[in-house]
Amino acid sequence: MVTHDTIAAIATPPGRGGIGIVRISGQNLKSLAQAILGKLPQPRYAELLAFLDHDDQIIDQGIALFFPSPHSYTGEDVLELHGHGGPAVINLLLTRCLQLGARLAEPGEFTLRAYLNEKIDLAQAEGVADLIAASTTNAARCAIRSLHGEFSSTIHQLVSALTNLRVLVEATLDFPEEEIDFLQNAQATEQLSQIQERLELVLTASRQGNLLQEGIKIVLIGQPNVGKSSLLNQLTGDETAIVTAIPGTTRDTIRQSIEIEGVPLHLIDTAGLRETDDIVEQHGIARTHAAIERADLALLLVDSRYGVTTQDRSVLTQLPKQLPILTIYNKIDLSGKLPHIEEDASATSIYLSAKSGAGMELLRTTLLKMVGWQANIAGEGAYMARHRHLQALAHAKEQLEKAATWLHTAEQLELLAEELRLAQQALSSITGEFTSDDLLGEIFSSFCIGK
Ligand code: GDP
Ligand code: ZN
């Protein structure tokens, strides 16, 4: 699927700005450069030149940068024209490129070419998109680490440790009589458990990054007046968090996003779940249900003087069975209780006052704990893992667990070898050694044009 036709796109965002950039990539765009600039710019030097139209009229004047293949972002010849950032002038420039035979680039096509030409691997390409999409500082830090290849190199290290172990196991298969001794002498068990430990660390760090990127979806349940608004204000108040009221689909469906320690929390209010004949509202309810299906946690807010009500119970029955629930007994200043947490195998409850703020710190730490947030990893080692990466890591982990069982019983070494192979394959899919065109399409179509 490697193509080298020349592609062009405006790389700067739409609208007016100081600079507008048209980016062009292709196997040979020297003639295009010659036509627009009247010369081929010196590689990797910024040159101030006139950008010429077909009739030699000047379209704009700006900086031209020429990166000959293979030392460019895409690995092909790349030309960047930095002109003035007005929609009319930049469109003229783009049109000129298209007239000279370039094709309008698809979203992410420059980065796709970088991947296909092995300038970056798949996880790095995803890092590019995630960096552009990052909306918090933490998320941006994680993305740049992926882009820079830290995540990839961690995965490569795991893959190569696995390869060593596989070589050992496969070699052993050739000497059936001494199988067990051989593996024991080579400390195969230790090798495997080391790989497992490292994988576990990567998985944890990746989950953190995933939380930073996608945030946590929380269903908020509570009757009117139990203190939902007060609680949200408390949560956001001293954390310099952003409260955004995203216009609901119905009058009563509220969606808000707040941030705790840089982790985005998306709150879905179940006020929109009541029965109604209103068509518009029914659509809203369907959407609320869909949002609830994807939720990570339910927050049930009750008045500590009255406890969980019948209405609360009826809402609870509408939630997915496996959804963890955190019950908050609010208004303890009125019920005379002290802030505290009650935990048992089936439920967690927190007693607090949304008005005075007593118990709020407990709530914050519990919330983050329940969704698996680990502040110590967050700042430093978190990887901007996508859902796809988490699945691959979890898959590899499963295979290694099975492998450990086979190794432990020292039977069925063929199966052991097979599990190791599958684990390695799962890990390699992260950096893109085994990828389908469908997956590539899915990943790159979410990019912006010009990247
Ligand atoms: P919502 O309808 O669930 O959003 O509830 P609000 O946050 O609007 O609160 C309803 C009323 O309860 C307001 O007058 C709040 O000041 C009050 N309230 C909320 N939390 C507390 C609390 O912890 N103690 C007391 N005494 N009042 C509270
Ligand atoms: Zn309210």
Side-chain angles (χ1 to χ4, degrees), residues 433-445:
E433 265 95 302
F434 305 95
T435 24
S436 66
D437 285 359
D438 283 353
L439 176 66
L440 292 184
E442 196 181 300
I443 290 173
F444 287 98
S445 63

Side-chain angles (χ1 to χ4, degrees), residues 223-230 330-331 333-334 353-355:
Q223 300 305 305
N225 277 320
V226 291
K228 294 185 293 296
S229 304
S230 311
N330 188 29
K331 309 196 186 183
D333 52 313
L334 299 180
S353 168
K355 193 168 187 180

